[in-house]
Amino acid sequence: MSDPNASTLDEEALDWLVRVSFGTASPAGFAAWRARSPAHEQAARAAEALWRDIGHTATAAEFARHEVARHEVARHQAARSRLPHLPAGAMRRGIDRRPGRRAVMTGAVAASAAALVASSGVFGPLAGLTADHATRPGERREVVLPDGSRVMLNTATALSVRFSGAERRIVLTAGEAFFAVARDPDRPFVVAARGGETRAVGTAFAVRTDGDEVQVTVSEGIVEVTAAAGRPVRLIAGQGAGYGGAGRQPVPQRVNEAVATAWRRGKLIFNQRPLVEVAAEMSRYRPGRVVVANQDLERLPVTGVFELDDQESMLRAIEQALPVRVLRLPLLTVLR
């Protein structure tokens, strides 16, 4: 069972740390807060450790460099606008071009936040900026294509439609989609993803991308799956196959189609799934990440049927059923 008082202190500590780092609260105020009790001090140290860990990524380091450079450009431009009457030489002599301590601190803190934003996909997939259809994290939407086929886009999904007289082609650049294909023997329906293709005439199937990996699940009819530089593999209803990654080729296997596509009905279904996998699945449906901070907890089994649109209830159920505490932070939920 979790300790709500400890959870509240953890959140207060992180709030203090962020405001001090951005200069909207005083270090003396934070010091006074953490001196209230040993529990306050413990929460402050945990917040500092978590903040450091978030910032120790390649994304954070790159963002910090850009942030400091951007700050210097903005400061230089502001100085020029304030002193338009000075000669160029005098202007250059009057400006200290070295990044200030506050600029570096702000860049480091922003880098930590940027690392979370970049890894969470909080604004949806970048591919969505140029795709014909896209969804944000947690959003699901159905689209009717020009031929009458229906596509259900799952969370954080981006796809484009490339129809011609010879074929109906969909390019899935991110996320997951379920296709209910209108029959047209003269124009095959092709979903291209990660260098491979899934081909059908009239059927229903789902295609999911996960990094370099692609998973195909067939609900009705027959499809052919072809990985890059591979041969077509035929799948029938109730079968699935994956490809991608390190050259993995599709191999047909039985799958529980109802579980794999439960998201279409607004559900997440787990049967003895490790907590670390459940956390990764939850992360797909929210603006932020869910992480397991304790390796001893990663393999704990989770079983249940959960509502996609009520993840707070799901987190509470996990907290009650397992020896897990939930720490809720901006863009980050920690299971520990």
Side-chain angles (χ1 to χ4, degrees), residues 23 25 35 41 45 50-51 60 84 103 112 175 182 185 197 219 224 230 334 336:
E41 175 62 24
R45 292 184 179 184
L50 178 62
W51 196 251
S112 299
E197 294 183 349
S219 297
E224 282 188 346
V334 182
R336 58 183 186 169

Side-chain angles (χ1 to χ4, degrees), residues 33-325:
W33 180 90
R34 66 194 300 167
R36 290 183 184 179
S37 73
H40 283 74
E41 175 62 24
Q42 181 180 356
R45 292 184 179 184
E48 290 169 341
L50 178 62
W51 196 251
R52 286 195 301 270
D53 290 343
I54 292 171
H56 288 169
T57 65
T59 301
E62 181 66 17
F63 189 91
R65 288 193 291 270
H66 285 291
E67 182 69 11
V68 172
R70 184 190 64 79
H71 174 88
E72 285 306 295
V73 170
R75 192 157 67 97
H76 181 70
Q77 291 175 341
R80 288 179 62 92
S81 65
R82 287 194 301 268
L83 302 172
H85 60 284
L86 291 179
M91 194 182 308
R92 285 194 294 269
R93 288 193 298 272
I95 296 176
D96 180 4
R97 300 180 64 88
R98 294 172 297 173
R101 182 179 180 184
R102 175 55 57 80
V104 175
M105 178 179 293
T106 302
V109 174
S112 299
L116 281 176
V117 172
S119 61
S120 68
V122 63
F123 300 114
L126 293 178
L129 297 176
T130 57
D132 292 332
H133 305 284
T135 53
R136 296 169 63 89
E139 180 187 6
R140 301 181 302 281
R141 180 158 49 88
E142 184 176 77
V143 174
V144 180
L145 301 180
D147 68 332
S149 297
R150 294 180 176 271
V151 182
M152 175 68 80
L153 283 73
N154 198 3
T155 177
T157 295
L159 60 81
S160 294
V161 180
R162 302 287 184 266
F163 279 18
S164 70
E167 70 173 10
R168 298 167 290 171
R169 177 172 290 265
I170 301 293
V171 180
L172 180 65
T173 50
E176 179 177 20
F178 182 88
F179 303 90
V181 181
R183 187 170 181 80
D184 185 349
D186 296 328
R187 289 197 303 167
F189 192 96
V190 179
V191 178
R194 304 295 189 269
E197 294 183 349
T198 301
R199 182 177 296 263
V201 174
T203 184
F205 61 98
V207 181
R208 169 175 171 170
T209 65
D210 190 0
D212 294 333
E213 303 276 337
V214 176
Q215 182 67 35
V216 180
T217 302
V218 182
S219 297
E220 299 176 11
I222 301 172
V223 304
E224 282 188 346
V225 180
T226 307
R231 295 186 300 176
V233 173
R234 176 165 292 194
L235 302 179
I236 62 174
Q239 287 186 328
Y243 67 84
R248 182 164 68 106
Q249 296 296 311
V251 176
Q253 52 186 274
R254 297 295 301 176
V255 297
N256 189 327
E257 182 272 338
V259 171
T261 63
W263 58 268
R264 296 170 53 211
R265 304 181 298 278
K267 309 288 185 182
L268 281 179
I269 302 176
F270 303 110
N271 182 16
Q272 297 292 301
R273 289 277 297 277
L275 181 61
V276 65
E277 294 182 11
V278 172
E281 192 68 12
M282 291 182 68
S283 295
R284 299 176 62 219
Y285 294 91
R286 56 195 294 131
R289 295 179 58 202
V290 181
V291 299
V292 182
N294 187 337
Q295 290 185 347
D296 295 335
L297 305 177
E298 290 183 349
R299 309 313 300 175
L300 290 177
V302 177
T303 298
V305 180
F306 304 96
E307 296 290 335
L308 265 179
D309 298 328
D310 189 7
Q311 287 204 14
E312 283 305 308
S313 292
M314 183 176 176
L315 288 170
R316 287 194 297 270
I318 290 175
E319 201 171 26
Q320 292 169 4
L322 300 176
V324 171
R325 283 184 56 205

